[in-house]
Each structure stands twice: as structure tokens, then as C-alpha cells.
Amino acid sequence: MAVRTPDPDPDDGFGFDDEPSANANPAWLTDIELEQARRRLPMLYVEAVPVITDGSGQVTSIGVLLRSTPLGEITRTLVSGRVRYGETVRDALFRHIENDLGPMAFPLLPVSPTPFAVAEYFPIPGVSAFHDDRQHAVSLVFVVPVTGTCEPRQDALEVTWFSPEEAASDTVSAEMEGGRGTLLRQALAHLGLLR
Amino acid sequence: MAVRTPDPDPDDGFGFDDEPSANANPAWLTDIELEQARRRLPMLYVEAVPVITDGSGQVTSIGVLLRSTPLGEITRTLVSGRVRYGETVRDALFRHIENDLGPMAFPLLPVSPTPFAVAEYFPIPGVSAFHDDRQHAVSLVFVVPVTGTCEPRQDALEVTWFSPEEAASDTVSAEMEGGRGTLLRQALAHLGLLR
Amino acid sequence: MAVRTPDPDPDDGFGFDDEPSANANPAWLTDIELEQARRRLPMLYVEAVPVITDGSGQVTSIGVLLRSTPLGEITRTLVSGRVRYGETVRDALFRHIENDLGPMAFPLLPVSPTPFAVAEYFPIPGVSAFHDDRQHAVSLVFVVPVTGTCEPRQDALEVTWFSPEEAASDTVSAEMEGGRGTLLRQALAHLGLLR
Amino acid sequence: MAVRTPDPDPDDGFGFDDEPSANANPAWLTDIELEQARRRLPMLYVEAVPVITDGSGQVTSIGVLLRSTPLGEITRTLVSGRVRYGETVRDALFRHIENDLGPMAFPLLPVSPTPFAVAEYFPIPGVSAFHDDRQHAVSLVFVVPVTGTCEPRQDALEVTWFSPEEAASDTVSAEMEGGRGTLLRQALAHLGLLR
């Protein structure tokens, strides 16, 4: 399991740190309890594919987070994080976009609460297209146009903006964590941009 | 059939005027040919439900056009118009929103080209929920957030902004042209706002 | 909290019994642990709206479960249940349909894994349209045609088949548990059957 | 433009023959009028991706029509055809599936009238992913499970059943008419089967 650098909100990012979080709501689980729950219950996640659009709403670029693992590997991922107890899906989506892209990203959240895709991550590879060795997570995935400036957090090196063609490529797909290259292609298909 | 006041782009609005349009592309039909085609072929339409959202993407108001018919009836309708030969659905949607809501509406067109609903209008009432005595029209319907100021065209008296509850009411529904109250409720359901 | 009659698979139904389940997978939570988790984590659910279709795929009837609570109240609900650790959404959907409608219902599960709606149930009423005083549950909701005979389980009195008009009525809506009348109307809108 | 062998319903297939159709409804266009309209109005189409599912609704095979053009070329296509004046989208879909796959295909038409994709075919290549040198056509595309035996019509050589992997391959994609390889991949993405 990845050991990650501390960050202000450790148990909500895609990295799932074990460091205790001091400001936790008493209703929330401690990190140890959360760790146990991850092995006993499916965890609910939200994920966002950030995009830039032209004036007519057509997507021109797709944003992918580049990050460096503690072992020095470079991987790519999407905006991703857990839904907290008592939190709406919409609020969780907004919180994780702000966490991962910074407060100046100015996302346009979708008007409909229905995701364009549901991604099922299993700890055992091969059950589905998606894999997360720490947990069984079920993720509601949304495409989210951003209109401001994205400033990724400390554990993300940058947001890379790809053209639809690049985002669909085998190269980018192979660099995506946990099978999320499939999710990227599903997003492109949903946008009418997969050839 | 409704006789309507002239407007700059007569054959594309929801009113389907018969006045000749001087600046028509030679590839397009004359108004007489168009009138004949309306009785022989299903016409492709786009419709938009304009909405206002809060900072988290949640819809707070739904825009409905109020207009006066030549007979002095007040009816309500949605942004609506025909897709021209050679025109993309996205361009048609943008054009009709600008036509009906003015150039300062600043619409955020959907990133996905798939409509949330397809409305089938038949000249004979009762075939479907939707009725148009002039034609068989099939309409791709989208929810479109607007961020600017809506200034409806001359044949529309105003854009009325309703709360989700009002928009779902029997009163508003009964005032909508051609069964579009159903479309309004479908939009609210899609937005998770129909109770 | 409702005390319910024992059934063969207590922790998976919509009733969330507290009786120990003897045949639990060791990876699963005990009922006490599950009860604690329900107050700390959002629970992932699936729900199904059973329907009967005619030869052209048009929905003619919508199935709603009628059940009697321990206090003697009659309420209505949908097919509903928790997704287990390690279980796919598709398998959970199939399992709960079989549990609630019997082995001879012969459901036609959807080809796409994306739900037509996501329902968010909160323990505090008013946060969303949906309410569950036992937990924060997020439910992926599907419309599922059934082609066989539905034999509801012991805690359900019957499956009532409503016409689309009846299913959308205020009467039926008011009888639905936890705000699921809204879900029924969302399903009807998705099916193009809400007027 | 392709000249095709006569068939019982020439103006409705994907081939758009010019032969007069004797049994036409007087409200419909003659073939000459239809030919003219194709160059002046967007034509409304439906398309179906036939699939075979396992007991849990998971798609295991995707059906593609193989046909021989008059020039002896072998191409692949989907079930496809025009919506007639006065015909519902659902009826048009059923009619074209029966026309292309035979009366024993036993299709399970979708319960929702909303297509998973809209394909825009333009006579000039490059405007969109889809091309049809005869017309501007806008197609509502559905995934349709079939449960019987498919017997393609005379102008189709066979229905080829591909695994999801094969259907997504560049080889199959390159053989699809008018850019429909893109549509096949969009269908696979919608089904959660595109890797």
C-alpha cells in the first residue's frame, strides 16, 4: 500500500493516508476504523473528469492529474475521493475538485445528479476494469468543465491537458492508475469524442 | 394554423411562419416546400429548458417563455426550433437559444451531445404526450444553464423564472403549448428536482 | 427502528434486521458492526423499479411492494438492498430482485451499468427528497422488466401492479416509504410515461 | 451513390434505394421527392446495436451486419433506417430490426425512449465522426438485446457476432460504413465494456 506525504485532509483524497486527522467530525470513523471498514464494506466515491470547453460547449481538452508515488513512479489519475457520512454527492464532488484542482478552478458542476458512469473498483484485479488494492470502492463519475486556473495540490505534480485524441491513446491509458484509462475512454464516448 | 408577426428568421422559430425568408441558403427549402415537407417527413427539432444554477450546480430556477398568440391567447413554451440542413445539433441549439433568449443569455451548452429526453410531436393528439397540429416533429431536448441576461424576442412577452415546485405544478403545466408541461416535468425529474 | 420478522438473509433487505445472520462471510461485518458503520459511512444500495412491458418494450405496469410494518402500518416500497463487500452492482441487483420478487420473476437486467437515477437517503429529513432514519444510504436505481411470476417474500404482502397514471398519483406517492414516490415519478419520467 | 438490389421496402433500409415503392402511404414522399428532401432537410434515423446477453444482463456479443456492396466491397454496418412520417421512434426501431434481422430475432426494445447516443451523418466528411454521402441524417441509437435467431435480409450476407474486444478493435472499426466504428465503441462504453 502506498505511503503518502501528509496533506491537510488525509482520509479523503485518492491516496487514503493513514495519518490521524485531527479535525475529524466525531461521527466519522477514525483512520483505523476506516481502514477496517475498507475491507468489509464497499466505499462510496465520486470522481471527476475535468474538461475545458469552447464557446459552444464542445470539449477541447481533458484534464488528467500527474502524480509521483512515494516509490518514484509517475502515474496519472482523475479527481477522486470518498463521500463522507452525511455529505451529498454534489458536495463531495465539489470538495474533491477543490482539493485536487485548487480553489481557482471554478468548476461548473453538472445539473443532473446522475453520473455518466459508475466505476467499480475491486481489490482483486480482473473482477472489473477497475482495481484498487486497498478496497472495494464504487465511484460515481462526472464530467466537469472548469473555467478558471487549476493549481494541483502538493502530491499532484500537475494537471495535464490532453486533446481528446491524446486522452484516448494507449499511452495515456497505460499510465492511468487502477484502470482509469477505461474511464477516460468512457468519458470521451459520452462526450461524442471517441473515434 | 397560427399566423405570427414577422421576425428576422421566420422559418426556424417555434412559430413556423410562412413569410418568405430572403436570406435563405439555396440548399434550404422555400417556405412552400418546407410546408409540404412538414406533412410528409418527420422534422428534426432541438429544444432547451433554460435554467439558473447556484454555485454548486444545483438548479434554482427554470425559464419558460411566455408568449401571446395572434388570437390573443397567452401560452407558455420552451426554447425550440428546427435543425437546418447541414447544421449540427449543437449549432442549432445555440442558434435557437440566442434567437429566443437574446445574445446576452450566455448559455452553457451541454458537454454531451445526447439529449436527456426525446419528444415526439404528432399532428393528431393522443399518439404521444406531445402535439403539434402543423407537423410530425421529433425534438432532442437539453437542459441549458444560462449565466447572463435573457431578453426574449418580439413574439415572446417574457421569460418567466419558476422555482422547481412551480414549474412542476398543474397550473404551469396546463399553460404549456403542445404538451410541453410533460417535458418540463421530465426535465425536473432528470435534475432530481421533481417531488 | 423497525423490528421485523426474521428472514433468511436479514441484513440485506430493506428492513435492516438486527438478528445475527449465521451464514455470513467472515469478511462481512457482524450485525453490530454493520449497525455502527451505518452511522459513520454512507451505505451503498441498489434499487429496482420492476415493470411489465408490451411486445414493443413500452412499459404498461409498474410494480410496487406492499408491506406491513411491525406496528401494523401498510407502506409501499421498491426492491431495495445493500451492496455487499466484493459484490458487483449487477450481482447485488439480481440478488435483491430474487429476494424480493422470488426466483420465478425472470428479470431482464439492464445492459448498461449506469443507473437512471441516484437516490440519496439521509437520516435527517429534508436534506434531500429521500429519508431513512437508520442511515445515510446512496442508492443506484434501475428500471427492470420482469417476464415471469412475482412471489414476494414473507415480509411483503404483495406486489401491486400500477398503471403509469396510478403510479404517478399523489395517493400512491404518499404511501411510499422514505420519499420513494419521488423515485417512482423519476422512473416514469425516464420511461417517457410521466404526464 | 450505391445502387442496390431491389428489396421489399426499398426506401427504409440503410441503402436508400431509388426504386419506386408500390405500397407507399399517399402521405409519404415519392422516391424522387425523398431524394430531393435528402439534400434539403436533415433526415431522422434510428439505429440499433443488436447484442446477446447472459442471464445477468451482461452483454457477451455484439451483432454487426456484413454486406456486399454492388461494387463487390464487403462492409459492415448496424441496423439502421429512416423514421417515417407519423411513425413513433419505437415503431421505427422495431420495424428496422425486423427488416434487417428477420422476424425471429425477438428483440427486447429499450424501456426508455432516450437513445444512448445521437449520431450526426453529414454528406461532407469531417464535419463529425459520421459520414453519409447521400444526406444529412441524424440518428437516434439504441442497444437492443435479441433473444431469438437472426436471419439477415438478402442484401446482408450475415450477422457477425463479435466479443466486446473484437467489436472495439481497429480492424472491425475500419470495416464499418460511414464511421459507425465510432458508434460501436460508444455502445461498448455505454455498456461498460470498452477497455
Side-chain angles (χ1 to χ4, degrees):
Chain A
M1 193 200 67
V3 176
R4 307 269 303 288
T5 51
D7 69 52
D9 194 8
D11 67 319
D12 295 301
F14 48 78
F16 320 126
D17 283 67
D18 290 336
E19 288 81 6
S21 89
N23 58 349
N25 181 324
W28 295 337
L29 300 175
T30 65
D31 289 338
I32 291 168
E33 289 168 327
L34 181 60
E35 203 57 36
Q36 290 173 335
R38 283 187 202 284
R39 291 292 181 189
R40 313 286 276 280
L41 283 174
M43 295 285 120
L44 183 67
Y45 270 67
V46 287
E47 293 188 271
V49 181
V51 298
I52 295 174
T53 63
D54 67 14
S56 74
Q58 187 88 44
V59 168
T60 54
S61 305
I62 290 101
V64 174
L65 296 173
L66 185 72
R67 67 184 192 84
S68 164
T69 70
L71 300 176
E73 289 176 304
I74 302 293
T75 63
R76 298 188 188 276
T77 193
L78 299 173
V79 172
S80 174
R82 196 164 68 79
V83 179
R84 284 177 177 157
Y85 181 82
E87 186 179 42
T88 65
V89 167
R90 185 176 291 281
D91 286 346
L93 190 60
F94 189 85
R95 180 169 58 84
H96 288 294
I97 291 170
E98 192 169 64
N99 261 7
D100 286 352
L101 301 182
M104 305 303 282
F106 299 137
L108 301 170
L109 265 65
V111 290
S112 169
T114 307
F116 81 88
V118 171
E120 303 181 62
Y121 294 84
F122 290 99
I124 299 168
V127 178
S128 74
F130 307 104
H131 172 239
D132 183 338
D133 58 14
R134 296 178 41 105
Q135 63 186 340
H136 173 196
V138 175
S139 173
L140 309 181
V141 196
F142 299 86
V143 171
V144 180
V146 294
T147 59
T149 308
C150 294
E151 295 165 1
R153 303 167 64 201
Q154 55 188 20
D155 57 338
L157 300 179
E158 66 168 39
V159 179
T160 313
W161 295 100
F162 290 114
S163 70
E165 293 69 32
E166 289 166 337
S169 71
D170 288 343
T171 311
V172 169
S173 208
E175 294 172 357
M176 300 292 294
E177 276 188 349
R180 286 180 179 86
T182 289
L183 218 43
L184 215 47
R185 288 173 178 174
Q186 278 185 266
L188 290 164
H190 168 69
L191 298 171
L193 294 174
L194 188 82
R195 295 295 169 101
Chain B
M1 192 200 68
V3 176
R4 305 267 303 288
T5 50
D7 70 50
D9 193 7
D11 68 319
D12 296 301
F14 48 78
F16 319 127
D17 283 69
D18 287 337
E19 289 79 7
S21 88
N23 57 349
N25 182 324
W28 295 337
L29 300 175
T30 66
D31 289 337
I32 291 168
E33 289 168 326
L34 181 60
E35 203 57 37
Q36 289 173 334
R38 283 187 202 284
R39 292 291 182 189
R40 313 285 277 281
L41 283 175
M43 294 285 121
L44 183 67
Y45 269 66
V46 287
E47 293 188 271
V49 181
V51 298
I52 295 175
T53 64
D54 68 13
S56 75
Q58 186 88 45
V59 169
T60 54
S61 305
I62 290 97
V64 174
L65 296 174
L66 184 73
R67 66 184 193 85
S68 164
T69 69
L71 301 176
E73 288 177 306
I74 302 292
T75 63
R76 296 188 189 278
T77 194
L78 298 173
V79 172
S80 176
R82 196 164 69 80
V83 179
R84 284 176 177 159
Y85 181 81
E87 186 181 42
T88 65
V89 166
R90 184 176 292 281
D91 286 346
L93 191 60
F94 189 86
R95 180 168 58 84
H96 289 293
I97 291 170
E98 193 169 63
N99 261 8
D100 286 352
L101 301 182
M104 305 302 282
F106 298 137
L108 301 169
L109 265 66
V111 289
S112 169
T114 307
F116 80 88
V118 172
E120 303 180 63
Y121 295 85
F122 291 99
I124 300 168
V127 178
S128 75
F130 308 104
H131 172 239
D132 183 338
D133 58 13
R134 295 178 40 103
Q135 61 186 341
H136 173 196
V138 175
S139 171
L140 310 182
V141 196
F142 299 86
V143 171
V144 180
V146 294
T147 60
T149 307
C150 295
E151 295 164 2
R153 302 168 65 202
Q154 55 190 19
D155 57 339
L157 300 178
E158 65 168 39
V159 179
T160 313
W161 294 101
F162 290 115
S163 70
E165 292 72 29
E166 291 166 336
S169 71
D170 288 342
T171 311
V172 169
S173 209
E175 294 171 358
M176 299 292 294
E177 276 188 349
R180 286 181 179 84
T182 289
L183 217 43
L184 215 46
R185 288 175 177 171
Q186 277 184 269
L188 290 164
H190 169 69
L191 298 170
L193 293 175
L194 187 83
R195 293 294 167 102
Chain C
M1 190 202 68
V3 176
R4 306 267 304 287
T5 51
D7 70 50
D9 193 8
D11 67 318
D12 295 301
F14 48 77
F16 319 128
D17 284 68
D18 288 338
E19 290 80 5
S21 88
N23 58 349
N25 182 324
W28 295 336
L29 300 175
T30 66
D31 290 337
I32 291 168
E33 290 168 326
L34 180 60
E35 203 56 37
Q36 290 174 335
R38 283 188 202 284
R39 291 290 180 192
R40 313 285 277 282
L41 283 175
M43 295 285 121
L44 182 66
Y45 269 67
V46 287
E47 292 189 273
V49 181
V51 298
I52 295 175
T53 62
D54 68 13
S56 75
Q58 186 88 43
V59 168
T60 54
S61 306
I62 290 99
V64 174
L65 296 172
L66 184 73
R67 66 185 193 85
S68 164
T69 70
L71 300 175
E73 288 177 305
I74 303 291
T75 63
R76 297 189 189 276
T77 194
L78 298 173
V79 172
S80 175
R82 195 164 69 79
V83 179
R84 285 176 176 158
Y85 180 81
E87 187 181 40
T88 65
V89 166
R90 184 177 290 281
D91 286 346
L93 190 61
F94 189 85
R95 180 168 59 83
H96 288 294
I97 291 170
E98 192 170 63
N99 262 7
D100 286 353
L101 300 182
M104 306 301 284
F106 298 137
L108 301 170
L109 266 65
V111 290
S112 169
T114 307
F116 80 88
V118 172
E120 303 182 62
Y121 295 85
F122 290 99
I124 299 167
V127 178
S128 74
F130 307 105
H131 171 239
D132 184 338
D133 59 13
R134 296 176 42 101
Q135 64 186 339
H136 173 196
V138 175
S139 173
L140 310 182
V141 197
F142 299 86
V143 171
V144 180
V146 293
T147 59
T149 308
C150 294
E151 295 164 0
R153 301 168 65 201
Q154 55 189 19
D155 58 338
L157 299 178
E158 64 167 40
V159 179
T160 312
W161 294 101
F162 290 116
S163 70
E165 292 72 30
E166 290 166 337
S169 71
D170 288 343
T171 311
V172 168
S173 208
E175 293 172 358
M176 300 291 294
E177 276 187 351
R180 287 180 179 85
T182 289
L183 217 43
L184 215 46
R185 288 174 177 172
Q186 278 184 268
L188 289 164
H190 168 68
L191 297 170
L193 293 174
L194 189 82
R195 295 294 168 101
Chain D
M1 192 200 68
V3 176
R4 306 268 305 287
T5 51
D7 69 53
D9 193 9
D11 68 319
D12 295 301
F14 48 78
F16 321 128
D17 283 68
D18 288 336
E19 290 79 7
S21 89
N23 58 348
N25 183 323
W28 294 337
L29 300 174
T30 66
D31 289 337
I32 290 168
E33 289 168 326
L34 181 60
E35 204 56 36
Q36 289 174 334
R38 284 188 202 284
R39 290 293 180 190
R40 313 285 277 282
L41 283 175
M43 295 285 121
L44 183 66
Y45 269 67
V46 287
E47 292 188 272
V49 181
V51 298
I52 295 175
T53 63
D54 67 13
S56 74
Q58 186 87 46
V59 168
T60 54
S61 304
I62 290 99
V64 175
L65 296 173
L66 184 73
R67 66 185 193 85
S68 165
T69 70
L71 300 176
E73 287 177 306
I74 302 293
T75 63
R76 297 188 189 277
T77 193
L78 298 173
V79 172
S80 175
R82 197 165 67 81
V83 180
R84 285 178 176 157
Y85 181 81
E87 187 181 42
T88 66
V89 167
R90 185 177 290 283
D91 286 347
L93 190 60
F94 189 85
R95 179 169 60 84
H96 288 294
I97 291 170
E98 193 170 62
N99 262 8
D100 285 352
L101 300 182
M104 306 302 283
F106 298 137
L108 301 169
L109 265 66
V111 289
S112 169
T114 308
F116 81 88
V118 172
E120 303 181 62
Y121 295 85
F122 290 99
I124 299 167
V127 177
S128 74
F130 307 104
H131 171 240
D132 184 338
D133 58 14
R134 295 178 41 104
Q135 61 185 341
H136 173 196
V138 175
S139 171
L140 310 182
V141 196
F142 298 86
V143 171
V144 180
V146 294
T147 60
T149 307
C150 295
E151 295 165 1
R153 301 168 67 201
Q154 55 190 18
D155 58 335
L157 300 178
E158 66 168 39
V159 179
T160 313
W161 294 101
F162 289 116
S163 70
E165 293 71 30
E166 289 167 337
S169 69
D170 288 342
T171 311
V172 169
S173 209
E175 294 171 356
M176 300 291 295
E177 276 188 350
R180 287 181 179 84
T182 289
L183 218 42
L184 215 46
R185 287 173 179 173
Q186 277 184 267
L188 290 164
H190 169 68
L191 298 170
L193 293 175
L194 187 83
R195 294 295 168 99

